């Protein structure tokens, strides 16, 4: 009975805790070529998404008005994905850009795109997509297939059955203060500071974990 009660409490959100923003301030030292003011603004915007997720979570538990509930539910995906995509983006930065030829994700990229340079060129071409959004390399839940995609805003364009393993922010606030409209220069700096061991871990471990979870379900 205790297990059933505990499960119901989790399902109903009775034990849910507010999300806490991750401290990414160390990136200022790890990415010396990135403008500090730009990074500060970006980190504050990320914290704003965390606050909005917590606010909506709290409102959903006590709101009774049907119209307000619908509005909150529709907004939730935008705020939640905005929070999580920023975390994936920041977490894979602060590295030295070295690929590590034994990394399975690097090997898969080279197979899928012909070479890593071809992959970079493809990313640059995706950056020419008009409007705000994200460039995301997705990995299939079985840890095999990968797909590059453009995700508009935060929640529109996700690939079902795939998980984001390499995330690049292409909203103007991520680059325009330092790079103007030169998205390619911004992307080159992102590649220079990418920690590919983290991306590889998401591909190898994250996708396999989801595969196992799917089987259990």
């Amino acid at each position: 009975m205790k297990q059933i009660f505990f499960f119901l409490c989790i399902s109903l959100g009775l034990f849910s805790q507010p999300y806490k923003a991750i401290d990414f301030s160390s990136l200022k030292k790890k990415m010396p070529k990135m403008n500090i003011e730009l990074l500060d603004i970006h980190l504050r915007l990320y914290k704003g998404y965390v606050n909005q997720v917590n606010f909506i979570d709290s409102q959903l538990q006590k709101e009774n008005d049907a119209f307000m509930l619908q509005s909150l539910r529709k907004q939730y995906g935008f705020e939640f994905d905005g929070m999580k995509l920023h975390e994936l983006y920041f977490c894979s930065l602060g590295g030295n850009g070295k690929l590590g030829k034994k990394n399975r994700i690097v090997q898969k990229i080279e197979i899928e795109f012909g070479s890593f340079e071809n992959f970079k060129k493809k990313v640059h071409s995706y950056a020419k997509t008009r409007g705000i959004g994200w460039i995301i390399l997705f990995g299939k839940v079985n840890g095999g297939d990968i797909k590059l995609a453009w995700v508009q805003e935060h929640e529109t364009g996700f690939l079902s059955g795939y998980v984001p393993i390499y995330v690049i922010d292409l909203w103007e606030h991520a680059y325009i203060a330092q790079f103007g409209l030169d998205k390619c220069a911004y992307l080159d700096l992102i590649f220079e500071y990418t920690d590919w061991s983290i991306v590889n871990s998401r591909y190898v471990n994250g996708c396999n974990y989801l595969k196992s979870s799917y089987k259990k379900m």
Side-chain angles (χ1 to χ4, degrees):
M1 286 296 294
K2 288 183 179 180
Q3 289 180 330
I4 295 174
F5 173 75
F6 183 74
F7 175 77
L8 288 173
C9 286
I10 292 176
S11 300
L12 294 172
L14 299 181
F15 291 162
S16 63
Q17 297 294 320
Y19 289 95
K20 293 183 179 179
I22 299 172
D23 183 5
F24 292 111
S25 59
S26 62
L27 290 177
K28 296 175 187 178
K29 291 184 178 180
K30 294 179 179 179
M31 302 170 62
K33 294 182 184 178
M34 182 68 78
N35 182 276
I36 291 180
E37 286 187 17
L38 183 148
L39 196 51
D40 275 333
I41 291 172
H42 205 168
L43 292 175
R44 288 201 298 271
L45 285 168
Y46 153 64
K47 291 177 182 177
Y49 285 110
V50 178
N51 292 336
Q52 284 299 305
V53 169
N54 288 329
F55 171 74
I56 295 178
D57 275 337
S58 67
Q59 293 300 112
L60 286 172
Q61 294 180 30
K62 60 185 180 182
E63 183 61 61
N64 294 316
D65 183 78
F67 176 80
M68 289 300 298
L69 280 171
Q70 289 182 59
S71 299
L72 290 168
R73 289 165 182 164
K74 289 179 179 179
Q75 184 67 15
Y76 193 75
F78 174 85
E79 304 293 350
F80 189 88
D81 285 6
M83 174 181 70
K84 288 301 180 181
L85 286 178
H86 275 98
E87 289 174 354
L88 290 170
Y89 166 74
F90 287 127
C91 278
S92 62
L93 294 177
N96 57 16
K98 293 183 179 179
L99 300 179
K101 290 297 183 179
K102 293 183 179 180
N103 283 357
R104 284 174 55 186
I105 185 56
V106 173
Q107 294 172 351
K108 184 62 178 178
I109 286 173
E110 291 175 341
I111 292 172
E112 187 71 23
F113 295 91
S115 68
F116 192 82
E117 284 303 313
N118 286 344
F119 169 67
K120 289 179 66 175
K121 290 177 182 178
K122 183 65 70 173
V123 171
H124 281 193
S125 71
Y126 270 69
K128 296 177 182 178
T129 304
R130 291 181 61 81
I132 54 176
W134 302 78
I135 299 174
I136 301 179
L137 181 66
F138 286 93
K140 202 171 184 180
V141 293
N142 64 7
D145 193 22
I146 58 174
K147 288 186 180 295
L148 193 63
W150 174 268
V151 172
Q152 185 175 336
E153 295 193 341
H154 307 311
E155 78 281 26
T156 305
F158 262 77
L159 307 181
S160 298
Y162 287 76
V163 293
I165 57 176
Y166 186 45
V167 175
I168 301 176
D169 193 343
L170 254 294
W171 285 56
E172 287 93 341
H173 62 248
Y175 63 87
I176 203 166
Q178 180 175 353
F179 301 95
L181 298 178
D182 192 352
K183 295 180 183 179
C184 289
Y186 161 68
L187 289 174
D188 287 340
L189 195 61
I190 294 300
F191 276 111
E192 183 177 339
Y193 287 130
T194 294
D195 186 336
W196 285 99
S197 66
I198 291 177
V199 180
N200 185 66
S201 178
R202 291 173 185 167
Y203 177 64
V204 175
N205 300 323
C207 294
N208 284 336
Y209 171 78
L210 283 179
K211 177 184 177 182
S212 175
S213 298
Y214 275 31
K215 283 184 176 180
K216 290 178 181 178
M217 289 189 288

